[in-house]
Each structure stands twice: as structure tokens, then as C-alpha cells.
Amino acid sequence: MENLRHMMNPLDFSVEELESLFDLAGEIEKDMEGYSHKCDGKILATCFYEPSTRTRLSFETAMLRLGGKCIGFADASNSSAAKGESVADTIRVISCFADICAMRHPKEGAPMVAASRSSIPVINAGDGGHQHPTQTLTDLLTIRSLYGKLSNFTIGLCGDLKFGRTVHSLINALSRYEGIRFIFISPKELRVPDYITEMLRQKGIQYEEVIKLEEIMPQLDFLYMTRVQKERFFNEEDYIRLRNFYILDKEKMALAKEKMFILHPLPRVNEISVELDDDPRAAYFKQVQYGLYVRMALILTLLNIK
Ligand code: NCD
């Protein structure tokens, strides 16, 4: 198929293409009704080999709101993967049924393998600890909407920076914008991987690594909280030791700028106290709403629907 495009990594789209995508998401936000038949007759397949609630439902809602239909599986034990089928074969089969596919997989690179064999657009909906491009598009659109631009701010990323794929994807994507300063806040054991700090050093981008959240709080424009990724730990003891390392509460928020926004890809475990949910700076549920608009915009863009 000519012009077949996938979304494996946020960098697959240029900064200009992302701007157009966010503009389209903005149009959709203003006029959901106007977009409600754009995908009439189209089918989205969601192939989820790893647990998910919001990402899968967000994709399915996006397609349903565009007038299309959805097929798929949410549990690989119900699919032919349990019989030993490869993702390469699965996608060839899915290509016969659906117009576009969103795939989540515990193995890094699996959606890429699928894309290389696919005749329909494939969207990486999260691959292991690697990338999660549509969460990143969600995060970028949220930042752009709340802050007015995607440049000149300080963002703190806090929690599990080692295994958190949303963190890896977001740093990757933000490294293309001007004047972004990163502060990485994590225990030693969960530091951001070396390949990422190496990339930042090579690009001459400023970053700092700290352990204590309190000391850098007043500098931040955004605080991106993450949960400790229990399922990616090799032993339970380490997880138990680290799971309560950061808990954002009113006391810590009192140190923040009046306009510092809290982001979180969700699900939250205990790293943000529920007492903050009504704080006007808590933007994590708004983020979910932006995630829907941006997935609608992405489906339209990859299907070449104007
Ligand atoms: C994230 C993920 O799956 O990586 N969730 C999501 O898609 N919104 C974050 C997480 O699981 O912690």
C-alpha cells in the first residue's frame, strides 16, 4: 500500500507534523459531532498482549466516536499467541480484517516487527519498557494546551524512570523542542537509563538527577509523576522497598509554583495522594481527555482521512 505509515515512536512524525496533529485534535475537541462519521465503515483492531484499561478503551472510544467499529483481544491467552503464533503472522491475518491496528506487547520491538509485515497502519500502544508514543502525544498535547507552547519550561520526571516507558518516550519527544530543562527525580535503583542521558548530553540538553523531590519542587513548571512498575521488577523485595519512595501530597505541593501542573500517565497507585485531586494544578484526568482527542486525530491521519 502506498503512503502506509505507522506510529512506533513519537519521532516518526516531524515537529511540524505533530503540530498539525495537535491542531486537528483541537478541532475535534471543539466539534466532536462534526467528526462522528469520518470513519464510517472502518475497523480498528486492538491487539493487547499486556494488561491495559485506559489505553485500549481510549483507542476503542476514539474509533467509535469517529463512527468506526472495533475488534480485538485484551488478553493474549485468548488469542492464537497462546498456540504459538508469531506477531508477524497475527498482523498478516489482522490486515485482512481491519483498516488499522493498535498493538501493545510486553516485548520491546514487537509492534515494529508487526509493522514490517503489515499492510495496514500499526500503532505502538506500548512495548515493554521501551516506548509509548500515543501516551507521549497525549502528554505533549496536554502540555501545549495548559502552557500554550511546547518550549521553555522545566519538567521534573519522578518515580520509576528506569522501567517507565512513558518517561522514555516523553524525554525522547521533548528533546526536539527549545529551552526544555529536565530534572530526573528517582531513587538510585530506578534512574533513567544511560542511553537516554547519553542522548541528552550529545544534543547539549540540560538535565539534572536528584533523589529528593522537595529540594527541586520550586523550580518546576510540570511534575510528571509515575508509578513504580511492579511487573517489570525481577524481585518482589526490591519492589516493596521502593514502592513508597515518593508520595506527592499537600505538604510537598505547598513548595511548588502556583502554576505548576501535575501530570501522570495513570494508573496511579499511591504516588499522588487523592487529597490533591481537586487541586486546580492536578491535570492527570484532563490528560485522559486529551488522550482521546489525540488518538482520534492520529487514526484520521494514519488512515489519510481529511
Ligand atoms: C502507562 C503504561 O502502560 O506504560 N499507562 C498508560 O498507558 N497510560 C503507565 C503505567 O502503566 O504505569
Side-chain angles (χ1 to χ4, degrees):
M1 198 164 97
E2 253 180 74
N3 294 329
L4 178 61
R5 283 192 86 174
H6 308 287
M7 172 54 82
M8 290 296 119
N9 182 313
L11 304 188
D12 290 351
F13 276 35
S14 67
V15 169
E16 294 72 28
E17 285 175 320
L18 287 186
E19 278 304 303
S20 309
L21 187 79
F22 299 145
D23 288 344
L24 177 58
E27 293 303 315
I28 294 170
E29 177 181 6
K30 281 189 262 160
D31 180 22
M32 285 288 268
E33 193 50 42
Y35 286 84
S36 62
H37 291 289
K38 294 275 185 191
C39 281
D40 280 358
K42 299 287 184 198
I43 295 179
L44 164 77
T46 51
C47 301
F48 276 58
Y49 294 85
E50 201 185 63
S52 158
T53 321
R54 84 218 69 247
T55 304
R56 186 173 54 80
L57 294 185
S58 174
F59 270 113
E60 294 184 359
T61 308
M63 191 45 140
L64 295 171
R65 293 267 182 214
L66 290 166
K69 294 195 164 59
C70 306
I71 58 169
F73 54 86
D75 177 357
S77 62
N78 284 336
S79 79
S80 290
K83 300 181 191 164
E85 187 177 55
S86 67
V87 288
D89 281 5
T90 302
I91 195 68
R92 285 186 171 181
V93 172
I94 298 286
S95 295
C96 302
F97 303 149
D99 301 283
I100 184 164
C101 172
M103 179 179 285
R104 168 169 288 194
H105 205 286
K107 272 208 196 113
E108 280 87 354
M112 181 94 94
V113 172
S116 71
R117 294 276 178 251
S118 179
S119 55
I120 59 172
V122 179
I123 302 170
N124 175 4
D127 61 329
H130 186 223
Q131 294 279 327
H132 191 346
T134 59
Q135 181 62 46
T136 299
L137 300 181
T138 302
D139 301 338
L140 295 179
L141 177 62
T142 308
I143 293 174
R144 196 181 89 143
S145 305
L146 297 174
Y147 194 70
K149 57 184 179 187
L150 277 166
S151 56
N152 299 309
F153 57 79
T154 299
I155 182 166
L157 295 110
C158 177
D160 189 342
L161 309 188
K162 179 177 180 185
F163 296 115
R165 58 189 167 203
T166 63
V167 167
H168 305 158
S169 253
L170 182 58
I171 300 170
N172 209 10
L174 282 176
S175 72
R176 294 195 296 190
Y177 297 90
E178 291 287 301
I180 311 262
R181 212 178 125 228
F182 293 97
I183 305 186
F184 302 134
I185 309 132
S186 73
K188 275 197 310 297
E189 296 86 339
L190 298 178
R191 284 179 50 211
V192 78
D194 290 342
Y195 79 89
I196 292 184
T197 45
E198 184 53 37
M199 176 275 289
L200 293 174
R201 264 199 302 276
Q202 274 178 14
K203 290 187 162 181
I205 296 169
Q206 281 192 53
Y207 72 89
E208 216 179 298
E209 291 185 273
V210 300
I211 296 176
K212 279 198 84 151
L213 178 56
E214 289 86 333
E215 64 195 42
I216 51 79
M217 199 72 168
Q219 302 177 36
L220 305 178
D221 299 300
F222 290 95
L223 174 58
Y224 194 93
M225 292 296 293
T226 61
R227 79 183 164 94
V228 176
Q229 304 265 310
K230 182 177 183 195
E231 68 278 25
R232 303 200 200 282
F233 270 77
F234 296 112
N235 72 68
E236 176 115 11
E237 246 168 68
D238 285 350
Y239 168 69
I240 292 171
R241 191 164 48 80
L242 295 168
R243 69 179 166 184
N244 295 328
F245 209 90
Y246 299 107
I247 297 182
L248 185 63
D249 55 14
K250 279 195 172 153
E251 208 178 307
K252 293 197 184 81
M253 277 305 280
L255 304 168
K257 284 186 187 169
E258 206 183 310
K259 289 206 98 180
M260 185 209 76
F261 292 105
I262 312 166
L263 304 175
H264 192 306
L266 304 179
R268 154 176 68 184
V269 184
N270 61 348
E271 57 282 353
I272 302 177
S273 162
V274 291
E275 69 184 16
L276 293 179
D277 291 357
D278 295 324
D279 188 310
R281 296 168 291 183
Y284 30 94
F285 292 117
K286 260 189 221 147
Q287 231 173 316
V288 179
Q289 190 69 54
Y290 287 122
L292 174 65
Y293 303 138
V294 93
R295 288 188 177 95
M296 290 172 75
L298 182 64
I299 290 172
L300 289 174
T301 304
L302 293 180
L303 287 178
N304 257 315
I305 295 173
K306 296 277 178 284

